[in-house]
Amino acid sequence: MRLRFEGVIWYWRGPAPFHFVTVPPAEAAAISEVAPVVTYGWGMIPAAVTIGATRVTTALWPKDGAYVVPIKKALQDAEHLGVDDVVTVELEIDA
């Protein structure tokens, strides 16, 4: 499954700080359909994420009935990204 969408990078301050982009409702619904087959536990969905010219592997997190994409530090640094930046996210999920 390949998905492409735009979103805003936001910051969550937890035990360790994280940056995320929220998956829009239509794309989240598509992910939910394959989630039972691809999750490795706790609802986490392994995925490859591409922003700009940089591709990383990560896992989508379930949140409030949808999913969020962690924006790893390596991705932030390579693409010069920060909070409130609008990015085009390309997701690839092996289903």
Side-chain angles (χ1 to χ4, degrees):
M1 167 185 288
R2 290 177 190 240
L3 301 170
R4 182 182 170 109
F5 58 87
E6 285 191 351
V8 176
I9 297 176
W10 54 273
Y11 176 80
W12 176 71
R13 184 179 176 265
F18 288 98
H19 291 82
F20 294 97
V21 171
T22 301
V23 177
E27 288 82 357
I31 293 168
S32 291
E33 290 179 16
V34 299
V37 179
V38 297
T39 186
Y40 61 82
W42 304 285
M44 306 293 273
I45 308 290
V49 176
T50 303
I51 296 177
T54 307
R55 178 181 169 102
V56 298
T57 57
T58 190
L60 309 181
W61 297 18
K63 181 170 181 358
D64 302 328
Y67 295 93
V68 295
V69 180
I71 307 301
K72 290 183 170 185
K73 180 80 168 121
L75 188 52
Q76 294 171 43
D77 291 347
E79 296 295 325
H80 308 287
L81 301 174
V83 173
D84 295 328
D85 285 346
V86 177
V87 294
T88 299
V89 177
E90 295 181 24
L91 282 182
E92 189 172 329
I93 300 170
D94 289 332

